[in-house]
Amino acid sequence: MDNKRIACIGECMVELSDQGNNTYKRAFAGDTLNAAVYLSRCLQGTGHKVHYVTAVGDDTLSDMMISEWQSEGIVCDTIAHIKDKAPGLYSISLDEHGERTFSYWRNDSAARRMLDNGLNEEQLERLTANFDILFLSGITLAILDTESRTHLMNLLRKARDNGAEIVFDSNYRPCLWASEDAARDAMGETLALATMALVTFDDEQALWNDESPEATTNRLRELGIAKAVVKLGAEGCLTIDYSAQDEATPVTTIPVEKVVDTTSAGDSFNGGFLSAYMEGKDLETCCQRGNALAGIVIQHRGAIIPKEITDTFAQTN
């Protein structure tokens, strides 16, 4: 099988995660970046390549970010450097059940400018012509202004016309949107371009008022999506290839006895799923890998867990 290349588009921020006893740990994270890290770890040694697409500043933290991404095997040739800008920042507080609360400082982050005098023409052309898969999320959409979002839609359309698959995770965060209508308009336009949806039912229910996971798969079918996964948390997920199935297939997951931190559950699922997908596995096997990896990640603190833990997972999956 030919080696594949995927571009993960979005924002990485400085993460301050609650370690207990009023102490916080600094790391770098963001939904598509988290997925890119887990994807790269699962694909190490396979020849498949993971690229990250964003904008960073001209500060020390931005340099540290890129160095860390490169140490994870992520290719960083489609990143803009914007003068006098810096990454956003967020903190995570956890309750006794491992559920998280976020606080953000990102209104003027460099990533918001990635398509506004950020990425150069050569990088943009590479994005539309050189990748097998482009992966983005609702957060990617939410941080961009209207003009930049339109630019992104045009890039996705061109990439799809050139043969790329467009994979979209809605990852709906109400606080990032001016209104539900604005979120529905932007996500609806993106879903109409996407070839695969990797969504979470709770998000779809909140934004689209879907009554059931099956209602979500039916709505995605009507949008012309080729393949879909609806994540169901501890219950696993549903997956469907609309060209071959009339009903979605449930894929269960092994329950986790003690959940420590659910911060990157969906992101790590995406990374595990996409790694298997790039290796040519069927959708059910892709979901099984995604479920298994997410189950490991939520037993540890922070969005990105130590590499030695996922290295062991990758060797056995």
Side-chain angles (χ1 to χ4, degrees):
M1 182 179 62
D2 293 338
N3 292 333
K4 293 184 178 295
R5 301 206 297 173
I6 183 172
C8 301
I9 310 169
E11 177 184 32
C12 180
M13 293 180 288
V14 179
E15 176 195 83
L16 299 178
S17 57
D18 187 356
Q19 302 297 295
N21 298 319
N22 294 317
T23 62
Y24 284 78
K25 178 182 177 181
R26 191 205 69 197
F28 302 124
D31 67 334
T32 58
L33 186 279
N34 303 338
V37 168
Y38 290 118
L39 176 55
S40 182
R41 290 179 180 181
C42 288
L43 290 176
Q44 60 185 322
T46 65
H48 302 300
K49 297 296 183 183
V50 180
H51 297 238
Y52 199 59
V53 181
T54 192
V56 297
D58 58 357
D59 59 305
T60 301
L61 282 173
S62 294
D63 292 340
M64 292 172 65
M65 278 183 170
I66 291 178
S67 178
E68 188 164 304
W69 303 341
Q70 290 173 329
S71 74
E72 292 282 0
I74 295 172
V75 184
C76 298
D77 60 355
T78 318
I79 295 174
H81 296 258
I82 301 178
K83 185 176 175 57
D84 298 327
K85 294 293 180 181
L89 179 148
Y90 74 103
S91 67
I92 309 169
S93 298
L94 301 174
D95 65 19
E96 63 272 20
H97 305 294
E99 291 300 325
R100 72 270 198 215
T101 301
F102 296 96
S103 299
Y104 293 95
W105 298 266
R106 74 193 318 173
N107 289 340
D108 196 35
S109 71
R112 289 179 175 266
R113 300 278 302 279
M114 74 173 87
L115 295 174
D116 176 16
N117 296 317
L119 297 168
N120 61 41
E121 289 302 318
E122 180 183 351
Q123 290 172 318
L124 293 173
E125 182 61 28
R126 193 184 309 140
L127 187 60
T128 62
N130 287 17
F131 293 97
D132 300 285
I133 300 172
L134 271 60
F135 170 66
L136 71 157
S137 76
I139 293 177
T140 310
L141 302 179
I143 66 169
L144 301 176
D145 61 27
T146 302
E147 184 176 350
S148 294
R149 209 176 292 148
T150 299
H151 192 181
L152 177 59
M153 293 302 105
N154 291 334
L155 292 170
L156 296 178
R157 188 175 293 107
K158 186 175 179 180
R160 191 189 64 180
D161 290 345
N162 285 334
E165 295 189 63
I166 310 299
V167 181
F168 180 64
D169 179 354
S170 56
N171 211 0
Y172 175 51
R173 297 294 178 266
C175 63
L176 295 179
W177 294 94
S179 66
E180 288 186 357
D181 285 342
R184 281 191 287 263
D185 287 346
M187 294 199 195
E189 184 178 6
T190 308
L191 286 166
L193 289 171
T195 56
M196 181 187 294
L198 296 178
V199 301
T200 299
F201 176 63
D202 288 347
D203 292 344
E204 301 304 287
Q205 186 175 53
L207 184 59
W208 300 99
N209 300 313
D210 292 346
E211 294 183 355
S212 67
E214 291 75 17
T216 298
T217 61
N218 290 336
R219 177 173 52 78
L220 293 173
R221 182 197 302 271
E222 293 172 0
L223 288 169
I225 296 289
K227 301 168 185 175
V229 174
V230 180
K231 291 169 276 186
L232 305 173
E235 297 178 22
C237 61
L238 296 179
T239 185
I240 185 167
D241 178 344
Y242 293 108
S243 68
Q245 298 173 256
D246 292 325
E247 296 184 358
T249 300
V251 183
T252 58
T253 187
I254 298 173
V256 172
E257 185 172 329
K258 181 173 176 56
V259 175
V260 174
D261 183 355
T262 61
T263 299
S264 197
D267 306 335
S268 55
F269 175 95
N270 292 343
F273 177 96
L274 288 169
S275 70
Y277 188 72
M278 290 176 70
E279 292 174 344
K281 307 296 185 184
D282 62 80
L283 292 181
E284 187 171 351
T285 301
C286 296
C287 288
Q288 289 168 347
R289 185 182 292 182
N291 283 337
L293 181 55
I296 292 171
V297 169
I298 62 176
Q299 297 179 65
H300 301 81
R301 290 184 182 273
I304 299 175
I305 68 174
K307 191 173 185 296
E308 57 268 21
I309 299 172
T310 47
D311 281 350
T312 300
F313 172 84
Q315 290 166 9
T316 57
N317 288 269

